């Protein structure tokens, strides 16, 4: 057994689970009229009701002891101080520095990174103001009407999700497009919809080596030049966001049109950096800075509040309770807000790329579950699709319901029905219902949920919710003793794709693979060759 599962805090939680497991959550409400007050909190404008979980005061105390035993407080301090906590890549983890608004210094190798951050924010402001005000024009003198962000993973999911979430704050005269997939259909559809004279391409890649992004960027550049634009016109229509100035210059983008960020910003934590440029183009720099300020408010709460009153810590601990003590293998994100429809996809990368690990910091294989599968759909669509399984399926699936008190539209009747459904679902999941002699109509209930509320979905509240999830993932990674900040698991597939790409482009030679892979490659080539012959 590992140190973690043998530890006194873990063993105490296992015993506590055995004593509590048969108690219905609804009974805990019956026993304690103050349960909601006890198990709900608000910070940075985010209210979390976590009372509909199978927890009591002892559970929180035991989970907090586990967090202390794992060194959560010390690792939290180390992250904010800029220590190299990403040990497998030997880097600090400082997305919190991107939204540091207090003027405090954060040193990396003796350099105050905050002044660099402020410098890039100022450059983003100059550029985004110019585009939005029409001072920055395309090469034929027309104002920019369309922005195409070309990036993938963290260089796509964050900006895309935030632009959707903050649509009510967006400049409707500016149409935002996001091309991530190397599937040519993604690029082809966007190129059909935009005009080369009025389109700005943002090539977003931390490394500027990602195959998908570079192929998409080259395709966009070739399309732009085919429209009759001269090479010199590229400067008006292509900008880059990257940490790799050499590769940006080699692509043909003037480094003056490059927005810099740093290797201490992980891809999935990068929307707060210049990777957020499309967001700032769409909602304006003031609103982008309000997003940063909202995240910073949550950072302060996370850094300062005691573990038992700390929202990211509490969500992390409740997640550990379900994953490790009730065998929950997945976690549902159910935003009851249409504008948050890309949030589950964004949180999939944040959580699964961070905590999808099974080796500890010191290289031992874990003997406990780590990051769950994250999935979701906005309400109420999910209710008419997969909620059946939540209510009556054999798997326990904890869920976060995310809801905004005030809508951005005037259709109040819709909002009332939406919220009624959200509240009804968490009640039904907890209570279940017991039809005598009708097992098919009976629901066990006891399905745990958190309800996360903001008054209105605006830049500041969105920033706070996203930081809440970032820190939740961090705390879980510390307790599981894994590195939440690398992603070595994606490398092998990338390498094999390069090899197979070389073989696929040749008519005959296929290298040594297993028989399944060889036959799939050969099948593709045979079909492609047959199409080419019939076209001749
Ligand atoms: O392959 C995974 C990954 O490295 C992610 O971590 C990252 O967000 C994405 O690819 C894109 O990387 P880049 O911004 O360097 O193009």
């Amino acid at each position: 057994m590992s140190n973690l599962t043998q530890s006194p805090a873990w063993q105490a939680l296992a015993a506590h689970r055995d004593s509590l497991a048969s108690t219905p959550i609804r009974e805990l409400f019956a026993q304690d009229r103050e349960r909601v007050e006890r198990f709900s909190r608000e910070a940075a404008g985010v209210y979390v009701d976590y009372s509909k979980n199978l927890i009591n005061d002892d559970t929180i105390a035991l989970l907090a002891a586990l967090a202390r035993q794992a060194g959560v407080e010390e690792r939290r301090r180390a992250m904010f101080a800029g220590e190299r906590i990403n040990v497998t890549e030997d880097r600090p983890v400082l997305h919190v520095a991107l939204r540091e608004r207090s003027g405090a210094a954060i040193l990396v190798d003796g350099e105050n990174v905050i002044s660099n951050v402020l410098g890039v924010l100022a450059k983003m402001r100059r550029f985004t103001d110019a585009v939005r005000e029409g001072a920055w024009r395309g090469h034929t003198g027309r104002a920019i009407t369309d922005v195409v962000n070309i990036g993938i993973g963290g260089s796509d999911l964050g900006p895309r999700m935030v632009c959707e979430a903050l649509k009510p704050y967006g400049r409707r005269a500016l149409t935002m497009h996001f091309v991530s997939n190397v599937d040519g259909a993604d690029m082809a559809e966007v190129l059909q919809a935009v005009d080369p004279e009025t389109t700005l391409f943002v090539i977003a890649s931390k490394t500027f080596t990602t195959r998908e992004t570079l192929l998409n960027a080259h395709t966009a550049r070739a399309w732009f030049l085919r429209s009759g634009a001269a090479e010199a016109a590229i400067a008006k229509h292509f900008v880059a966001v990257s940490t790799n100035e050499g590769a940006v210059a080699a692509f043909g983008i003037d480094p003056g049109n490059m927005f810099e960020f740093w290797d201490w910003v992980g891809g999935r934590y990068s929307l707060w950096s210049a990777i957020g440029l499309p967001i700032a183009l769409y909602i304006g720099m003031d609103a982008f800075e309000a997003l940063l300020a909202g995240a910073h408010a949550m950072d302060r709460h996370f850094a300062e509040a005691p573990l038992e009153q700390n929202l990211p810590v509490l969500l992390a601990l409740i997640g550990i309770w379900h994953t490790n003590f009730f065998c929950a293998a997945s976690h549902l994100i159910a935003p009851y807000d249409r504008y948050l429809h890309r949030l589950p996809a964004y949180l999939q990368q944040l959580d699964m790329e961070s905590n999808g690990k099974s080796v500890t910091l010191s290289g031992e294989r874990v003997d406990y579950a780590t990051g769950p599968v994250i999935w979701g759909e906005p309400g109420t669509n999910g209710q008419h699709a997969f909620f059946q399984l939540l209510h009556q399926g054999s798997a326990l699936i904890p869920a976060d319901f995310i809801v905004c008190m005030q809508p951005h539209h005037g259709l109040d009747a819709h909002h009332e029905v939406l919220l009624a459904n959200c509240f009804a679902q968490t009640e039904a999941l907890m209570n279940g219902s017991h039809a005598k002699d009708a097992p098919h109509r009976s629901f066990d209930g006891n399905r745990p949920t958190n309800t996360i509320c903001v008054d209105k979905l605006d830049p500041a509240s969105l920033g706070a919710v996203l930081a809440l999830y970032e820190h939740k993932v961090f705390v879980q990674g510390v307790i599981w003793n894994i590195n939440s900040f690398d992603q070595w698991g994606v490398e092998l597939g990338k390498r094999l794709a390069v090899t197979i790409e070389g073989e696929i482009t040749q008519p005959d030679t296929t290298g040594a693979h297993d028989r399944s892979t060889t036959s799939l490659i050969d099948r593709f080539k045979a079909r492609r060759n047959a199409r080419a012959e019939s076209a001749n």
Side-chain angles (χ1 to χ4, degrees), residues 152-155 205-208 210 267-268 349 353 487 490 494:
I152 197 164
S155 301
S205 174
K206 177 176 171 182
T207 55
F208 228 79
T210 303
R268 52 194 174 275
Q349 188 199 17
E353 204 174 65
Q487 56 285 318
V490 298
K494 285 186 195 172

Side-chain angles (χ1 to χ4, degrees), residues 319-478:
I320 296 239
W321 182 230
H322 295 135
T323 301
N324 297 111
F325 297 91
F326 291 87
C327 301
S330 86
H331 186 97
L332 172 69
I333 304 293
Y336 273 62
D337 191 302
R338 204 267 158 215
Y339 288 117
L340 290 175
H341 72 109
R342 293 290 305 175
L343 184 67
Y346 169 79
L347 292 180
Q348 277 177 335
Q349 188 199 17
L350 175 66
D351 200 320
M352 294 164 79
E353 204 174 65
S354 296
N355 286 344
K357 315 279 164 70
S358 46
V359 164
T360 65
L361 288 176
S362 51
E364 285 126 27
R365 188 154 288 277
V366 300
D367 64 354
Y368 42 86
T370 56
V373 174
I374 303 294
W375 59 290
E377 262 294 299
T380 57
N381 295 354
Q383 291 173 210
H384 297 274
F386 54 78
F387 268 47
Q388 163 64 35
L389 186 146
L390 299 188
H391 287 286
Q392 287 190 307
S394 53
L396 179 76
I397 303 185
D400 289 351
F401 284 69
I402 304 172
V403 70
C404 309
M405 296 293 128
Q406 188 187 333
H408 278 289
H409 53 73
L411 304 174
D412 288 348
H414 287 250
H415 199 61
E416 284 157 16
V417 173
L418 177 73
L419 265 60
N421 273 276
C422 174
F423 303 149
Q425 286 300 323
T426 63
E427 187 175 37
L429 284 163
M430 176 176 74
N431 285 341
S433 96
H434 306 274
K436 196 162 179 288
D437 301 328
H440 298 100
R441 289 165 190 264
S442 288
F443 301 57
D444 290 342
N446 239 17
R447 313 275 164 147
T449 59
N450 298 307
T451 304
I452 299 175
C453 307
V454 296
D455 281 344
K456 192 171 181 183
L457 185 62
D458 60 20
S461 66
L462 180 64
V465 168
L466 299 180
L468 170 71
Y469 277 103
E470 285 180 345
H471 297 317
K472 170 197 165 176
V473 167
F474 169 80
V475 171
Q476 292 189 329
V478 173

Side-chain angles (χ1 to χ4, degrees), residues 156 216 399 496:
D156 164 75
N216 280 326
L496 293 182

Side-chain angles (χ1 to χ4, degrees), residues 96-97 99-106 112-115 118 296 300:
V96 292
R99 52 222 192 192
E100 173 56 63
R101 320 303 291 159
S102 68
I106 299 182
N112 181 9
V113 299
I114 301 297
S115 22
L118 296 178
H296 178 69
R300 290 322 323 150

Side-chain angles (χ1 to χ4, degrees), residues 91-347:
R91 290 172 186 167
V93 172
L94 271 179
H95 45 279
V96 292
L98 300 167
R99 52 222 192 192
E100 173 56 63
R101 320 303 291 159
S102 68
I106 299 182
L107 299 181
V108 172
D109 298 329
E111 193 183 3
N112 181 9
V113 299
I114 301 297
S115 22
N116 293 339
V117 167
L118 296 178
V120 172
L121 284 173
K123 183 170 174 177
M124 287 171 69
R125 182 176 284 279
R126 285 194 296 278
F127 175 69
T128 55
D129 282 355
V131 172
R132 288 164 60 85
E133 286 158 10
W136 178 290
R137 291 182 175 259
H139 70 108
T140 57
R142 293 170 63 193
I144 299 298
T145 57
D146 292 80
V147 175
V148 181
N149 188 77
I150 298 179
I152 197 164
S155 301
D156 164 75
L157 288 161
R160 190 195 288 248
M161 177 273 294
V162 174
C163 285
E164 285 292 317
L166 298 180
K167 213 171 207 162
Y169 300 85
R171 174 151 299 194
R172 295 286 168 142
L174 211 50
T175 305
M176 307 302 293
H177 309 265
F178 291 87
V179 176
S180 54
N181 203 327
V182 78
D183 182 341
D186 210 2
M187 179 58 82
E189 288 291 336
V190 168
L191 293 183
Q192 269 174 41
V194 298
D195 179 341
E197 291 183 26
T198 59
T199 299
L200 176 73
F201 291 93
V202 178
I203 316 297
S205 174
K206 177 176 171 182
T207 55
F208 228 79
T209 57
T210 303
R211 184 74 182 108
E212 292 91 330
T213 299
L214 288 185
L215 183 55
N216 280 326
H218 280 288
T219 300
R221 198 175 107 121
W223 168 85
F224 176 72
L225 293 175
R226 268 202 314 276
S227 75
E231 286 269 346
I234 286 179
K236 291 276 166 213
H237 293 268
F238 285 78
V239 298
V241 182
S242 187
T243 59
N244 186 349
E245 187 176 319
V248 168
F251 177 84
I253 294 179
D254 178 351
N257 285 347
M258 171 180 144
F259 296 83
E260 184 193 13
F261 66 113
W262 306 275
D263 70 356
W264 41 262
V265 182
R268 52 194 174 275
Y269 300 88
S270 64
L271 74 86
W272 322 98
S273 72
I275 288 289
L277 191 69
I279 304 171
L281 282 163
Y282 190 45
I283 65 175
M285 205 56 200
D286 287 346
F288 183 71
E289 293 202 346
L291 180 81
L292 300 183
H296 178 69
M298 186 57 77
D299 292 344
R300 290 322 323 150
H301 166 72
F302 174 57
E304 287 158 13
L307 300 185
E308 294 81 353
Q309 296 161 26
N310 192 310
L311 284 182
V313 175
L314 286 163
L315 288 187
L317 294 176
I318 291 167
I320 296 239
W321 182 230
H322 295 135
T323 301
N324 297 111
F325 297 91
F326 291 87
C327 301
S330 86
H331 186 97
L332 172 69
I333 304 293
Y336 273 62
D337 191 302
R338 204 267 158 215
Y339 288 117
L340 290 175
H341 72 109
R342 293 290 305 175
L343 184 67
Y346 169 79
L347 292 180

